[in-house]
Amino acid sequence: MSKACDAEPPEIPVWQSARPPRILAAMALDSVKIPKLSLTETLFGLFLRLVSISCFWFGLTYWAMLIGFSFGGGGRFDLLPVPWRVAATALAVVYPVAALGLWLLVSWGPVLWVVAAATEIVMFAVYPQIFGVKPLLLVLHGTVAFTFVLFRAAIVYQRARQAKAARIDLP
């Protein structure tokens, strides 16, 4: 017989076994706990996801305009004047990407939303003779920006209070 058949199977290391040994189970109690999100942070995440849905909707409306699906085909890319071509194309790309970033709750999501909102604010407030007037859209962007700033201020305040409490309790 060959020596390969007589050899015992290799021992499975502890970290690959199906059941952790007792020492690892006991150490789990000493593990670092991930802090729970506060109510404010949870509501902020919900708010960002609602803004994400609206950004996705805005992106779809710009795409529908550019491909001729809306406005009876009158907003098709080849029929638009140059300022509208530039703005609508940029917003058709930026809004869905901002929606993705806001939905995933990553830091670049609000940044892209600010870029898209600022573009529309400039379009409809600074150049109404070219793009028309949409006061409701301007109010919507202002409300979202104000709500965002309020949430961020509340979260910063809560974290500062928690950090101060932790520093006071330390020896």
Side-chain angles (χ1 to χ4, degrees):
M1 293 188 116
S2 70
K3 293 196 177 214
C5 293
D6 294 335
E8 293 183 24
E11 186 175 324
I12 298 173
V14 172
W15 59 86
Q16 293 179 355
S17 65
R19 196 178 111 202
R22 275 192 258 158
I23 186 84
L24 290 180
M27 289 172 56
L29 299 175
D30 294 336
S31 297
V32 176
K33 303 248 187 285
I34 298 173
K36 290 185 177 182
L37 293 176
S38 67
L39 177 63
T40 306
E41 290 170 328
T42 304
L43 290 175
F44 182 57
L46 180 64
F47 167 73
L48 289 179
R49 292 209 166 138
L50 289 174
V51 174
S52 169
I53 292 168
S54 69
C55 284
F56 190 68
W57 177 255
F58 285 147
L60 287 178
T61 58
Y62 277 108
W63 276 109
M65 180 182 77
L66 289 174
I67 63 172
F69 188 73
S70 60
F71 301 118
R76 217 174 56 209
F77 182 79
D78 59 338
L79 300 177
L80 290 174
V82 174
W84 265 105
R85 283 184 189 183
V86 172
T89 305
L91 290 171
V93 173
V94 172
Y95 265 128
V97 177
L100 177 66
L102 288 165
W103 188 265
L104 295 176
L105 305 176
V106 293
S107 61
W108 50 266
V111 172
L112 286 180
W113 175 82
V114 167
V115 168
T119 302
E120 282 194 327
I121 288 170
V122 168
M123 284 171 59
F124 299 117
V126 179
Y127 298 109
Q129 66 278 12
I130 298 172
F131 298 103
V133 179
K134 289 190 177 179
L136 184 61
L137 186 68
L138 300 176
V139 170
L140 174 74
H141 286 318
T143 304
V144 169
F146 182 72
T147 307
F148 180 85
V149 169
L150 282 180
F151 268 119
R152 290 304 300 166
I155 290 169
V156 166
Y157 176 72
Q158 281 182 347
R159 289 183 182 170
R161 249 185 43 212
Q162 288 172 350
K164 183 178 179 184
R167 278 187 259 123
I168 290 173
D169 292 345
L170 291 177

